[in-house]
Structures are given as structure tokens and as C-alpha cells.
Amino acid sequence: MRLIPVAAAALVAVAPASAQSAFQGVVKYRLTTEGRTVDVTYLTKGDRARSEMQMDGMAIAMLMDASATTMTTLMPSEKMYMTMDLSRMRQQAPDTAQQQFTATGRTETIAGHECEHYLTGTAQNTDMCVATGLGYYLGGGAAGRRGPGSGGNSYGLPRPGDARAAAFRAKFSNGFFPLRLTVTEGGKVTTDMVVTSIEPRALADDLFTVPADFTEMRMPGMGPP
């Protein structure tokens, strides 16, 4: 099974639940990368998120838990799941690069919400239009060329277990939710993501947990010890 990067599959900015509880609901977005387009349904509640999508004809869901610093891949057709301990992975492969977020002064309105454009990434080649008031985007996805559940490109954002998350929260204290994301490499757009709808809605807790009849699939060095 080959999974492609799902919108900032790893755009993870860990924030306390109180900061994220202001918004609960469903966000839909479209991601184009590696020559393919994927429609993603993103559900968020507190410090947990669920991303649902179709990959090569198979339904996939990603559960992100900022408090537990885990990412769980659900494969409903197989009734299987795989959990990654992101804190453990961060200890094994620490990322000490400093993030830079450069405000461009440009704003636009997407899906009824105003957002402000920032440039980030090591080469400042990622353009994000960021909205406040929608909590912190926890992401969810896996990388194609790097293999299932590898975490993909963080686009300069701290992931769970990253000591830089506190500074990130201080800088963006009103939340950080990209409504549009564009990555340009070699003069060409290689990744494009845009939010198509935002719906505030109460969500059941069981949407963010592994079903009891699913079997765990373990990969060495990724799951809990």
C-alpha cells in the first residue's frame, strides 16, 4: 500500500486542549501532490483530530492525539491499525532546525474565514494562508516515497514531542490553521492544498478512537515501547 503526503501530513503544532476547544467541527480540503489529487475530511475536537481520505481505492483514516503525541493509521477494510509514538521518533531523530515564519502582509478569505499568508520552510518556499480561531491544525497522513506513516514533511512546524512547540504556541497564541498551502520547488508548484468548507459541529468521542474489533499492526521503532 502506497500512501501519499496528506496535507501537511505532519503539520503538527501541539497546543493545550483549552486553546483548541474554541473550535469543534469538520473541515474539508483538497490536496494535490505527486501528480494526484485527494479530498480530505478533517474532524477536530479538543487536542484530537481525524483525517479521512481515499488512497488507491482504499478508505484510510488518521487519528492524531496531541496530548498522547501519537498518530494512528486506521485501515477499515482490513480492520487493522498502526500507531506511531511521535515523541519516541523525535528522540531517535531530533530536528533542531529553527523555524522561520515570515509575514507577507497578504490576506484572503477562504471558506468564509480570513487568513494571513506566511512564508516558511528552510528555503522559505512554503506559502501558508493561516487562520486564527480554528485551533491548531494537527494534520494526519503518511508520506508516499518515505513509506507508510513516516510523517512526511513538517513544513517548518513543530510536531508532537518537539521542544520548540512552546515557542510556536507563544508566537501564534490565537491558533494556527492553514486554509491554503503551496510548496514551490525549482520554480514549480509541487504541493497545493486549499480548504473548501468549514462546518462547526459537535463530534462524538468515538470518532477519535480505534474500534475495538481492529487488530494492531506493529512496525519496529514506530509504536509505543
Coordinates of all heavy atoms in Angstrom, one line a residue, residues 11 95 97-103 118-128 153-158 164 168 172 176 181-185:
L11 N 1.9 18.5 9.6 CA 1.8 19.8 10.0 C 1.2 19.8 11.4 O 0.0 20.0 11.6 CB 0.7 20.6 9.2 CG 1.2 21.3 7.9 CD1 0.1 22.1 7.4 CD2 2.3 22.3 8.3
D95 N 15.1 17.0 15.4 CA 15.2 18.0 14.4 C 15.4 19.4 15.1 O 14.5 19.8 15.8 CB 13.9 18.1 13.6 CG 13.9 19.1 12.5 OD1 14.9 19.8 12.4 OD2 12.9 19.3 11.7
A97 N 16.5 22.3 13.6 CA 16.4 23.4 12.8 C 15.4 24.4 13.3 O 14.4 24.1 13.9 CB 16.0 23.0 11.4
Q98 N 15.8 25.7 13.2 CA 14.9 26.8 13.7 C 13.9 27.1 12.6 O 14.2 27.3 11.4 CB 15.7 28.0 14.0 CG 16.6 27.8 15.2 CD 15.9 27.4 16.5 OE1 14.9 28.1 16.8 NE2 16.3 26.4 17.1
Q99 N 12.6 27.2 13.0 CA 11.6 27.6 12.0 C 11.5 29.1 11.8 O 11.8 29.9 12.8 CB 10.2 27.2 12.5 CG 10.1 25.7 13.0 CD 10.3 25.6 14.5 OE1 11.0 26.3 15.1 NE2 9.6 24.7 15.1
Q100 N 11.3 29.5 10.6 CA 11.1 30.9 10.3 C 9.7 31.1 9.7 O 9.4 30.4 8.7 CB 12.2 31.5 9.4 CG 13.5 31.5 10.1 CD 14.6 32.2 9.2 OE1 14.2 32.8 8.2 NE2 15.8 32.1 9.5
F101 N 8.9 32.0 10.2 CA 7.6 32.3 9.6 C 7.6 33.8 9.3 O 7.6 34.7 10.1 CB 6.5 32.0 10.6 CG 6.4 30.6 11.0 CD1 7.1 30.1 12.2 CD2 5.7 29.7 10.3 CE1 7.1 28.8 12.5 CE2 5.7 28.3 10.7 CZ 6.4 27.9 11.8
T102 N 7.6 34.1 8.0 CA 7.7 35.4 7.5 C 6.4 35.9 7.0 O 5.8 35.4 6.1 CB 8.7 35.5 6.3 OG1 10.0 35.0 6.8 CG2 8.9 37.0 5.9
A103 N 5.8 36.9 7.7 CA 4.5 37.5 7.4 C 4.7 38.3 6.1 O 5.6 39.1 5.9 CB 4.0 38.4 8.5
Y118 N 1.9 33.5 5.2 CA 3.2 33.4 5.8 C 4.1 32.5 4.9 O 3.6 31.5 4.3 CB 3.2 32.7 7.2 CG 2.7 33.6 8.3 CD1 1.3 33.7 8.5 CD2 3.5 34.3 9.1 CE1 0.8 34.5 9.5 CE2 3.0 35.1 10.1 CZ 1.6 35.2 10.3 OH 1.1 36.0 11.3
L119 N 5.4 32.9 4.8 CA 6.3 32.0 4.1 C 7.1 31.2 5.2 O 7.5 31.8 6.2 CB 7.3 32.8 3.3 CG 6.7 33.7 2.2 CD1 7.8 34.5 1.4 CD2 5.9 32.8 1.2
T120 N 7.4 30.0 5.0 CA 8.1 29.1 5.9 C 8.9 28.1 5.1 O 8.9 28.1 3.9 CB 7.2 28.5 7.0 OG1 7.9 27.9 7.9 CG2 6.2 27.5 6.3
G121 N 9.5 27.1 5.9 CA 10.3 26.1 5.3 C 11.8 26.6 5.2 O 12.0 27.8 5.3
T122 N 12.7 25.7 5.1 CA 14.1 26.0 5.2 C 14.5 27.0 4.0 O 15.4 27.8 4.2 CB 15.0 24.8 5.1 OG1 14.6 24.0 3.9 CG2 14.8 23.9 6.3
A123 N 13.8 26.9 2.9 CA 14.1 27.8 1.8 C 13.0 28.8 1.6 O 13.0 29.5 0.6 CB 14.2 27.0 0.5
Q124 N 12.1 29.0 2.6 CA 11.0 29.9 2.6 C 10.2 29.7 1.3 O 9.7 30.7 0.7 CB 11.5 31.3 2.6 CG 12.2 31.7 4.0 CD 11.2 32.0 5.1 OE1 10.6 33.1 5.1 NE2 10.9 31.0 5.9
N125 N 10.1 28.5 0.9 CA 9.3 28.1 -0.3 C 8.0 27.5 -0.1 O 7.3 27.0 -1.0 CB 10.2 27.2 -1.2 CG 10.4 25.8 -0.5 OD1 10.5 25.8 0.7 ND2 10.4 24.8 -1.3
T126 N 7.5 27.6 1.2 CA 6.2 27.1 1.5 C 5.3 28.4 1.9 O 5.7 29.1 2.8 CB 6.2 26.1 2.7 OG1 6.9 25.0 2.3 CG2 4.8 25.7 3.0
D127 N 4.2 28.6 1.2 CA 3.3 29.7 1.4 C 2.1 29.2 2.1 O 1.3 28.3 1.5 CB 3.0 30.4 0.1 CG 2.1 31.6 0.3 OD1 1.4 31.8 1.3 OD2 2.2 32.5 -0.6
M128 N 1.8 29.6 3.3 CA 0.6 29.2 4.1 C -0.3 30.4 4.3 O 0.2 31.4 4.8 CB 1.0 28.6 5.4 CG 1.9 27.4 5.4 SD 2.2 26.8 7.1 CE 3.3 25.5 6.9
N153 N 6.8 15.7 5.4 CA 7.4 17.0 5.5 C 6.6 17.8 6.5 O 5.4 17.9 6.5 CB 7.4 17.7 4.2 CG 8.3 18.9 4.1 OD1 8.5 19.5 5.1 ND2 8.8 19.2 3.0
S154 N 7.3 18.4 7.5 CA 6.7 19.1 8.6 C 6.5 20.6 8.2 O 5.9 21.4 8.9 CB 7.5 19.1 9.9 OG 8.7 19.7 9.7
Y155 N 7.1 21.0 7.0 CA 7.0 22.4 6.5 C 7.4 23.4 7.6 O 6.9 24.5 7.6 CB 5.6 22.6 6.0 CG 5.1 21.7 5.0 CD1 4.2 20.7 5.2 CD2 5.6 21.8 3.7 CE1 3.9 19.8 4.3 CE2 5.3 20.9 2.7 CZ 4.4 19.9 3.0 OH 4.0 19.0 2.0
G156 N 8.4 23.1 8.4 CA 8.9 24.0 9.4 C 8.1 24.1 10.7 O 8.5 24.9 11.5
L157 N 7.1 23.3 10.8 CA 6.2 23.3 12.0 C 6.6 22.3 13.0 O 7.0 21.1 12.6 CB 4.8 23.1 11.6 CG 4.2 24.2 10.7 CD1 2.7 23.8 10.4 CD2 4.2 25.6 11.4
P158 N 6.6 22.6 14.3 CA 7.0 21.6 15.3 C 5.9 20.5 15.4 O 4.7 20.8 15.4 CB 7.1 22.4 16.6 CG 6.2 23.6 16.4 CD 6.3 23.9 14.9
R164 N 10.3 22.7 20.6 CA 10.1 24.0 20.1 C 8.6 24.4 20.0 O 8.3 25.5 19.7 CB 10.7 24.1 18.6 CG 12.2 23.9 18.6 CD 12.6 23.6 17.2 NE 12.0 22.4 16.6 CZ 12.2 22.0 15.3 NH1 13.0 22.7 14.6 NH2 11.6 21.0 14.9
F168 N 6.4 28.1 19.5 CA 5.4 28.2 18.4 C 4.1 28.7 19.0 O 3.4 29.6 18.4 CB 5.3 26.9 17.7 CG 4.3 26.9 16.6 CD1 4.7 27.3 15.3 CD2 3.0 26.5 16.8 CE1 3.9 27.3 14.2 CE2 2.1 26.5 15.7 CZ 2.5 26.9 14.4
F172 N 2.0 32.1 18.0 CA 0.6 32.0 17.4 C -0.4 31.6 18.5 O -0.9 30.5 18.4 CB 0.7 31.0 16.2 CG 1.6 31.4 15.1 CD1 2.8 30.8 15.0 CD2 1.2 32.4 14.2 CE1 3.7 31.1 14.0 CE2 2.1 32.7 13.2 CZ 3.3 32.1 13.1
F176 N -3.5 28.3 14.8 CA -2.7 28.2 13.6 C -3.4 27.1 12.7 O -3.2 26.0 12.9 CB -1.3 27.9 13.8 CG -0.4 28.1 12.7 CD1 0.4 29.2 12.5 CD2 -0.3 27.1 11.7 CE1 1.3 29.4 11.5 CE2 0.6 27.3 10.6 CZ 1.4 28.4 10.5
L181 N -2.1 26.1 1.3 CA -0.7 25.8 1.5 C -0.2 25.4 0.1 O -0.7 24.6 -0.6 CB -0.5 24.6 2.4 CG 1.0 24.2 2.7 CD1 1.1 23.6 4.1 CD2 1.4 23.1 1.7
T182 N 0.9 26.1 -0.3 CA 1.5 25.9 -1.6 C 3.0 25.8 -1.4 O 3.7 26.6 -0.7 CB 1.3 27.1 -2.6 OG1 -0.1 27.3 -2.7 CG2 1.9 26.8 -3.9
V183 N 3.6 24.7 -1.9 CA 5.1 24.5 -1.9 C 5.6 24.6 -3.3 O 5.1 23.9 -4.2 CB 5.4 23.1 -1.3 CG1 6.9 22.9 -1.3 CG2 4.8 22.9 0.1
T184 N 6.6 25.4 -3.5 CA 7.2 25.6 -4.8 C 8.7 25.1 -4.8 O 9.4 25.5 -3.9 CB 7.2 27.1 -5.2 OG1 5.8 27.6 -5.1 CG2 7.8 27.3 -6.6
E185 N 9.0 24.3 -5.7 CA 10.4 23.7 -5.8 C 10.8 23.8 -7.2 O 10.1 23.4 -8.1 CB 10.4 22.3 -5.3 CG 10.1 22.1 -3.8 CD 10.0 20.7 -3.4 OE1 9.4 19.9 -4.1 OE2 10.6 20.4 -2.3

